Amino acid sequence: MGNIHTVGPNESLVVSGGCCGSTKKLLVVGGWSWAWWLVTDVQRLSLQVMTLSPRCESVETSQGVPLTVTGVAQCKVMTEKEFLTIAAEQFLGKSVDHIKSVILQTLEGHLRAILGTLTVEEVYRDRDQFASLVREVATPDVGRMGIEILSFTIKDVYDNVEYLASLGKARTAAVKRDANVGVAQAERDAGIREAECEKSAMDVKYGANTKIEDSHRLFLLQKAQFDSEVNSKKAEAQLSYELQAAKM
């Protein structure tokens, strides 16, 4: 006689034992299995996502500055048969808290080791890169336990020696300095453009005045020429009149 055991998608059914002293294990995810009374051993392994909060306190960076770093990791047992078998061997019969504790110690160990190779500036300025490095290094170790790291992020970074505060002030001062330099450059460029515009306006005005003067001078020359021709004609007419009058 026996029972039918069912299991949902977030849990694995591990059935071991059987007739003739079999040691083979049957792994069932999201299904059912038959178990013989007093002969078959049935255990369950959680496949739910586990949220962990690795934390390293006062770990010295490569510069000797002690930092406290906290992160958030999402992990779960892999469902592929090979890795599920490994996870069953490692954690079958263990509580979820025990599994989380083992993974947490592994993550914190890698977090502490990598933190000691970086500078405070590298941790402070690029947390995503820091988190990616921790995840990359820790993945093989937790993978050998049949565990997958779904995500890993750095939640907080702080220190008790005000190094980060000083770094922040320095960054603020640098931003203000760059802003002032930018304003000065903008004002300089605006002054240059204004001077160029004034020069262009003066060039246009000078050109216009030159054309006016040229036109006026040409007018005077033409008027003088016209007046000369008129006076010449008048003189000729007057002379002709006087000659005619003399003849008469």
Side-chain angles (χ1 to χ4, degrees), residues 62-94:
S62 61
Q63 302 160 308
V65 180
L67 288 183
T68 296
V69 178
T70 58
V72 176
Q74 304 285 343
C75 305
K76 69 181 295 294
V77 175
M78 289 184 276
T79 56
E80 290 81 355
K81 184 177 180 181
E82 175 186 356
F83 296 105
L84 186 56
T85 301
I86 295 173
E89 293 175 353
Q90 294 281 336
F91 303 116
L92 195 60
K94 306 294 183 181

Short mmCIF file of all heavy atoms in Angstrom, two decimals, residues 62-94:
data_model
loop_
_atom_site.label_atom_id
_atom_site.label_comp_id
_atom_site.label_asym_id
_atom_site.label_seq_id
_atom_site.Cartn_x
_atom_site.Cartn_y
_atom_site.Cartn_z
N SER A 62 41.43 48.64 -0.08
CA SER A 62 42.85 48.58 -0.44
C SER A 62 43.62 49.77 0.12
O SER A 62 44.84 49.71 0.24
CB SER A 62 42.99 48.54 -1.97
OG SER A 62 42.44 49.70 -2.56
N GLN A 63 42.90 50.85 0.50
CA GLN A 63 43.55 52.02 1.07
C GLN A 63 43.60 51.97 2.60
O GLN A 63 44.13 52.87 3.23
CB GLN A 63 42.78 53.29 0.65
CG GLN A 63 42.68 53.49 -0.84
CD GLN A 63 41.55 54.43 -1.21
OE1 GLN A 63 40.42 54.25 -0.79
NE2 GLN A 63 41.88 55.44 -2.00
N GLY A 64 42.99 50.92 3.18
CA GLY A 64 42.97 50.81 4.63
C GLY A 64 41.82 51.54 5.29
O GLY A 64 41.81 51.68 6.51
N VAL A 65 40.85 52.00 4.49
CA VAL A 65 39.69 52.70 5.03
C VAL A 65 38.60 51.67 5.35
O VAL A 65 38.18 50.93 4.47
CB VAL A 65 39.14 53.73 4.03
CG1 VAL A 65 37.92 54.45 4.61
CG2 VAL A 65 40.22 54.74 3.67
N PRO A 66 38.13 51.59 6.60
CA PRO A 66 37.10 50.60 6.94
C PRO A 66 35.72 51.03 6.43
O PRO A 66 35.25 52.11 6.72
CB PRO A 66 37.13 50.57 8.48
CG PRO A 66 37.63 51.93 8.86
CD PRO A 66 38.57 52.36 7.79
N LEU A 67 35.09 50.15 5.65
CA LEU A 67 33.76 50.40 5.12
C LEU A 67 32.79 49.32 5.60
O LEU A 67 33.18 48.16 5.80
CB LEU A 67 33.76 50.40 3.59
CG LEU A 67 34.41 51.57 2.86
CD1 LEU A 67 34.24 51.40 1.36
CD2 LEU A 67 33.83 52.90 3.31
N THR A 68 31.55 49.71 5.78
CA THR A 68 30.48 48.76 6.06
C THR A 68 29.57 48.73 4.84
O THR A 68 29.07 49.78 4.41
CB THR A 68 29.68 49.17 7.31
OG1 THR A 68 30.54 49.13 8.44
CG2 THR A 68 28.51 48.22 7.53
N VAL A 69 29.38 47.55 4.28
CA VAL A 69 28.61 47.40 3.04
C VAL A 69 27.47 46.40 3.27
O VAL A 69 27.68 45.34 3.85
CB VAL A 69 29.50 46.91 1.89
CG1 VAL A 69 28.68 46.70 0.62
CG2 VAL A 69 30.62 47.89 1.64
N THR A 70 26.28 46.76 2.82
CA THR A 70 25.14 45.84 2.86
C THR A 70 24.61 45.66 1.44
O THR A 70 24.65 46.58 0.63
CB THR A 70 24.01 46.40 3.75
OG1 THR A 70 23.60 47.68 3.25
CG2 THR A 70 24.47 46.54 5.18
N GLY A 71 24.15 44.46 1.16
CA GLY A 71 23.62 44.15 -0.16
C GLY A 71 22.31 43.39 -0.07
O GLY A 71 21.85 43.03 1.02
N VAL A 72 21.71 43.15 -1.21
CA VAL A 72 20.48 42.36 -1.31
C VAL A 72 20.67 41.35 -2.43
O VAL A 72 21.01 41.74 -3.56
CB VAL A 72 19.24 43.24 -1.58
CG1 VAL A 72 18.00 42.37 -1.76
CG2 VAL A 72 19.03 44.24 -0.46
N ALA A 73 20.44 40.08 -2.13
CA ALA A 73 20.59 39.02 -3.12
C ALA A 73 19.31 38.20 -3.22
O ALA A 73 18.64 37.95 -2.22
CB ALA A 73 21.78 38.12 -2.76
N GLN A 74 18.99 37.81 -4.45
CA GLN A 74 17.86 36.91 -4.70
C GLN A 74 18.44 35.60 -5.23
O GLN A 74 19.11 35.58 -6.26
CB GLN A 74 16.91 37.52 -5.74
CG GLN A 74 16.37 38.89 -5.37
CD GLN A 74 15.30 38.82 -4.30
OE1 GLN A 74 14.74 37.76 -4.03
NE2 GLN A 74 15.03 39.95 -3.67
N CYS A 75 18.16 34.50 -4.52
CA CYS A 75 18.70 33.19 -4.88
C CYS A 75 17.60 32.13 -4.87
O CYS A 75 16.58 32.29 -4.22
CB CYS A 75 19.83 32.77 -3.93
SG CYS A 75 21.17 33.97 -3.77
N LYS A 76 17.86 31.05 -5.59
CA LYS A 76 16.92 29.92 -5.56
C LYS A 76 17.64 28.65 -6.02
O LYS A 76 18.69 28.70 -6.67
CB LYS A 76 15.70 30.18 -6.44
CG LYS A 76 15.99 30.20 -7.93
CD LYS A 76 14.74 30.50 -8.73
CE LYS A 76 13.69 29.41 -8.62
NZ LYS A 76 14.10 28.13 -9.21
N VAL A 77 17.03 27.53 -5.67
CA VAL A 77 17.53 26.23 -6.11
C VAL A 77 17.22 26.07 -7.60
O VAL A 77 16.10 26.34 -8.04
CB VAL A 77 16.89 25.09 -5.31
CG1 VAL A 77 17.33 23.73 -5.87
CG2 VAL A 77 17.26 25.19 -3.83
N MET A 78 18.21 25.67 -8.37
CA MET A 78 18.00 25.46 -9.81
C MET A 78 17.20 24.18 -10.04
O MET A 78 17.38 23.18 -9.34
CB MET A 78 19.35 25.39 -10.53
CG MET A 78 20.05 26.74 -10.61
SD MET A 78 21.60 26.71 -11.57
CE MET A 78 22.75 26.12 -10.31
N THR A 79 16.33 24.22 -11.04
CA THR A 79 15.43 23.09 -11.30
C THR A 79 15.97 22.10 -12.33
O THR A 79 15.36 21.05 -12.54
CB THR A 79 14.06 23.60 -11.77
OG1 THR A 79 14.24 24.43 -12.93
CG2 THR A 79 13.39 24.42 -10.68
N GLU A 80 17.07 22.42 -13.00
CA GLU A 80 17.66 21.45 -13.91
C GLU A 80 18.07 20.21 -13.12
O GLU A 80 18.56 20.31 -12.00
CB GLU A 80 18.88 22.04 -14.62
CG GLU A 80 18.56 23.13 -15.64
CD GLU A 80 18.36 24.49 -15.01
OE1 GLU A 80 18.37 24.58 -13.75
OE2 GLU A 80 18.17 25.48 -15.75
N LYS A 81 17.87 19.05 -13.70
CA LYS A 81 18.03 17.79 -12.97
C LYS A 81 19.40 17.68 -12.31
O LYS A 81 19.52 17.27 -11.15
CB LYS A 81 17.80 16.60 -13.91
CG LYS A 81 17.84 15.27 -13.20
CD LYS A 81 17.54 14.12 -14.14
CE LYS A 81 17.58 12.78 -13.40
NZ LYS A 81 17.30 11.64 -14.32
N GLU A 82 20.45 18.08 -13.06
CA GLU A 82 21.81 17.94 -12.53
C GLU A 82 21.99 18.78 -11.26
O GLU A 82 22.49 18.30 -10.24
CB GLU A 82 22.81 18.38 -13.59
CG GLU A 82 24.26 18.40 -13.11
CD GLU A 82 25.20 18.98 -14.14
OE1 GLU A 82 24.73 19.31 -15.26
OE2 GLU A 82 26.40 19.14 -13.82
N PHE A 83 21.56 20.04 -11.32
CA PHE A 83 21.75 20.95 -10.19
C PHE A 83 20.76 20.66 -9.07
O PHE A 83 21.07 20.84 -7.89
CB PHE A 83 21.62 22.40 -10.65
CG PHE A 83 22.68 22.80 -11.63
CD1 PHE A 83 22.38 22.93 -12.98
CD2 PHE A 83 23.98 23.05 -11.21
CE1 PHE A 83 23.35 23.30 -13.89
CE2 PHE A 83 24.96 23.41 -12.11
CZ PHE A 83 24.65 23.54 -13.46
N LEU A 84 19.56 20.20 -9.45
CA LEU A 84 18.56 19.86 -8.43
C LEU A 84 19.04 18.66 -7.61
O LEU A 84 18.83 18.59 -6.40
CB LEU A 84 17.22 19.55 -9.10
CG LEU A 84 16.03 19.31 -8.18
CD1 LEU A 84 15.82 20.50 -7.25
CD2 LEU A 84 14.77 19.04 -9.00
N THR A 85 19.70 17.72 -8.29
CA THR A 85 20.25 16.56 -7.57
C THR A 85 21.33 17.01 -6.58
O THR A 85 21.39 16.54 -5.44
CB THR A 85 20.86 15.57 -8.58
OG1 THR A 85 19.83 15.14 -9.49
CG2 THR A 85 21.42 14.35 -7.86
N ILE A 86 22.19 17.96 -7.03
CA ILE A 86 23.24 18.47 -6.15
C ILE A 86 22.63 19.17 -4.94
O ILE A 86 23.06 18.98 -3.80
CB ILE A 86 24.16 19.44 -6.92
CG1 ILE A 86 24.92 18.69 -8.02
CG2 ILE A 86 25.14 20.12 -5.97
CD1 ILE A 86 25.71 19.60 -8.94
N ALA A 87 21.60 20.01 -5.19
CA ALA A 87 20.95 20.73 -4.10
C ALA A 87 20.29 19.77 -3.13
O ALA A 87 20.31 19.97 -1.91
CB ALA A 87 19.92 21.71 -4.67
N ALA A 88 19.71 18.68 -3.65
CA ALA A 88 19.07 17.70 -2.78
C ALA A 88 20.10 17.01 -1.89
O ALA A 88 19.86 16.76 -0.70
CB ALA A 88 18.33 16.66 -3.64
N GLU A 89 21.27 16.74 -2.47
CA GLU A 89 22.33 16.12 -1.68
C GLU A 89 22.83 17.06 -0.59
O GLU A 89 23.20 16.62 0.51
CB GLU A 89 23.48 15.71 -2.59
CG GLU A 89 23.12 14.58 -3.56
CD GLU A 89 24.24 14.30 -4.54
OE1 GLU A 89 25.24 15.08 -4.54
OE2 GLU A 89 24.15 13.33 -5.30
N GLN A 90 22.84 18.37 -0.91
CA GLN A 90 23.38 19.34 0.04
C GLN A 90 22.37 19.72 1.13
O GLN A 90 22.74 19.85 2.31
CB GLN A 90 23.78 20.62 -0.71
CG GLN A 90 24.93 20.45 -1.69
CD GLN A 90 26.28 20.43 -0.99
OE1 GLN A 90 26.43 20.96 0.10
NE2 GLN A 90 27.26 19.78 -1.61
N PHE A 91 21.09 19.88 0.74
CA PHE A 91 20.14 20.53 1.65
C PHE A 91 18.89 19.71 1.97
O PHE A 91 18.00 20.22 2.65
CB PHE A 91 19.70 21.86 1.05
CG PHE A 91 20.82 22.80 0.76
CD1 PHE A 91 21.11 23.20 -0.55
CD2 PHE A 91 21.62 23.30 1.78
CE1 PHE A 91 22.15 24.07 -0.81
CE2 PHE A 91 22.66 24.17 1.53
CZ PHE A 91 22.93 24.56 0.23
N LEU A 92 18.82 18.49 1.50
CA LEU A 92 17.62 17.70 1.77
C LEU A 92 17.49 17.47 3.28
O LEU A 92 18.43 17.06 3.96
CB LEU A 92 17.70 16.35 1.04
CG LEU A 92 16.36 15.58 0.96
CD1 LEU A 92 15.32 16.40 0.21
CD2 LEU A 92 16.58 14.24 0.27
N GLY A 93 16.31 17.76 3.80
CA GLY A 93 16.06 17.62 5.23
C GLY A 93 16.45 18.85 6.02
O GLY A 93 16.24 18.89 7.24
N LYS A 94 17.03 19.87 5.35
CA LYS A 94 17.43 21.09 6.03
C LYS A 94 16.32 22.13 5.87
O LYS A 94 15.58 22.14 4.90
CB LYS A 94 18.74 21.65 5.45
CG LYS A 94 19.89 20.66 5.43
CD LYS A 94 20.32 20.28 6.83
CE LYS A 94 21.54 19.34 6.78
NZ LYS A 94 21.98 18.93 8.13
#
